[in-house]
Amino acid sequence: MGSTANTPLSVTGKYAVITGAGSGINLAFARLLLSKGCSVVIGDLALRPEAEALISQYPHPPSAGKPSALFHRTNVTSWKDLSSLWETTVSTFPSVDIVVPGAGIFEPRWSDFWKPPRSATNPDTPSTDGPADVDPVGTYATIEVNLTHPIRLSQLAIGHWTTTKTKGTLLHVSSCAGHAYSIGTPLYYASKHGLHGFVRSLGGLRAEVGIRVCAVAPGAVTTPLWSGDPDKRGMRAAEDKFIEPEEIADAMLELCEREEYGDGTILEALKGKRRVVPLYGLAPPTGEGLSITGFEEMQRGIYARLKGEGLRV
């Protein structure tokens, strides 16, 4: 399923900006791009040690003929930060060919639908969303990170490409959650459904103005999103099959380099298995790396809580 370096859409010699590449899937993709000769700006709150090592391996300014990597500290929920990231990328590189609004969160305790924002009747919540009893109206971080930030970065990219009359690839990092559902993490699922609708809605840009739009939709991947969250880490059983980030990065490269993709393509990527998700008549995803043992237990716990004490808001 891998891509071919000699295709017209080869990433070699290109320039990319990726949010969330301080770790996980997006770091794996940044590493893959750099290995193919594509320079990268990483926008994230911080870098894990392995990301710092990657930056050191590909310093900027680069040696002759070598790609480079640089870090721009970015809070993706801040439009000011996103604008600064974009301005840095445009001023650093001669072109911007690939844009990946990859940063995402999986409904942590501080932005979890089942742990509503602080209010007079819910003063002890772990949520940092809201608070619910002040103006301006609060926001849910899961939606801000997973959906609003990709929309805003897409606007910046499309604005640049259409006003400079250049072409590019807008590659989103979605999830199988975008065509599934769960009572356990409804904000996450809603954000990914929204992202799928957004990607498909922009699919006509390829034919009209040469802007390719697509998304990868992984199952459960071995990243800090799981290992760094005690709540999520506890859901994983020994028999659960997780996907390695490098396999998702390879699927993302395929989306960048294969001519037939880019018209709103959603490419589902499980362990050793990929498919283009059809717009209608969709069969549910199947295969290793899809389900997590503890997820069903969490859902049963939510229903039990709602039947018992109810949801304190």
Side-chain angles (χ1 to χ4, degrees), residues 43-77:
D44 210 328
L45 286 172
L47 299 175
R48 290 176 66 87
E50 56 269 32
E52 292 179 346
L54 185 67
I55 296 285
S56 298
Q57 185 181 351
Y58 295 95
H60 186 85
S63 306
K66 296 282 185 73
S68 66
L70 64 155
F71 171 61
H72 187 86
R73 188 186 183 283
T74 308
N75 174 358
V76 298
T77 66

Side-chain angles (χ1 to χ4, degrees), residues 38-264:
C38 176
S39 295
V40 176
V41 173
I42 293 174
D44 210 328
L45 286 172
L47 299 175
R48 290 176 66 87
E50 56 269 32
E52 292 179 346
L54 185 67
I55 296 285
S56 298
Q57 185 181 351
Y58 295 95
H60 186 85
S63 306
K66 296 282 185 73
S68 66
L70 64 155
F71 171 61
H72 187 86
R73 188 186 183 283
T74 308
N75 174 358
V76 298
T77 66
S78 164
W79 287 18
K80 181 179 179 181
D81 277 17
L82 288 176
S83 294
S84 178
L85 172 66
W86 186 258
E87 290 162 5
T88 295
T89 305
V90 170
S91 63
T92 300
F93 292 155
S95 64
V96 185
D97 305 291
I98 301 165
V99 176
V100 184
I105 56 177
F106 184 53
E107 208 153 334
R109 291 173 63 85
W110 44 269
S111 185
D112 184 329
F113 181 80
W114 299 113
K115 300 174 183 67
R118 179 175 58 80
S119 67
T121 55
N122 188 33
D124 300 321
T125 179
S127 173
T128 59
D129 291 329
D133 53 0
V134 299
D135 286 326
V137 175
T139 58
Y140 295 107
T142 296
I143 302 298
E144 293 297 300
V145 174
N146 291 1
L147 184 56
T148 305
H149 127 254
I151 290 172
R152 180 57 185 157
L153 191 54
S154 296
Q155 284 181 322
L156 293 170
I158 293 167
H160 173 79
W161 288 325
T162 53
T163 56
T164 58
K165 307 303 179 186
T166 52
K167 299 179 180 181
T169 294
L170 186 55
L171 171 56
H172 292 272
V173 180
S174 188
S175 166
C176 288
H179 47 281
Y181 61 91
S182 168
I183 191 68
T185 52
L187 286 177
Y188 181 78
Y189 278 70
S191 71
K192 296 304 183 180
H193 271 257
L195 189 57
H196 278 201
F198 180 68
V199 168
R200 292 194 187 279
S201 296
L202 298 184
L205 292 176
R206 185 184 68 174
E208 294 294 333
V209 292
I211 296 173
R212 304 173 70 254
V213 185
C214 49
V216 67
V221 184
T222 305
T223 70
L225 183 145
W226 282 96
S227 61
D229 185 331
D231 293 338
K232 306 300 184 293
R233 190 168 59 237
M235 295 181 193
R236 183 175 182 176
E239 64 270 20
D240 290 338
K241 302 291 186 182
F242 272 52
I243 312 161
E244 293 304 314
E246 290 73 20
E247 186 168 356
I248 306 306
D250 187 63
M252 294 167 72
L253 184 66
E254 185 176 333
L255 283 165
C256 286
E257 292 195 329
R258 285 182 55 170
E259 289 271 14
E260 67 266 35
Y261 297 152
D263 59 348

Side-chain angles (χ1 to χ4, degrees), residues 279-292:
L279 178 58
Y280 300 113
L282 172 63
T286 59
E288 291 185 336
L290 176 65
S291 61
I292 305 301

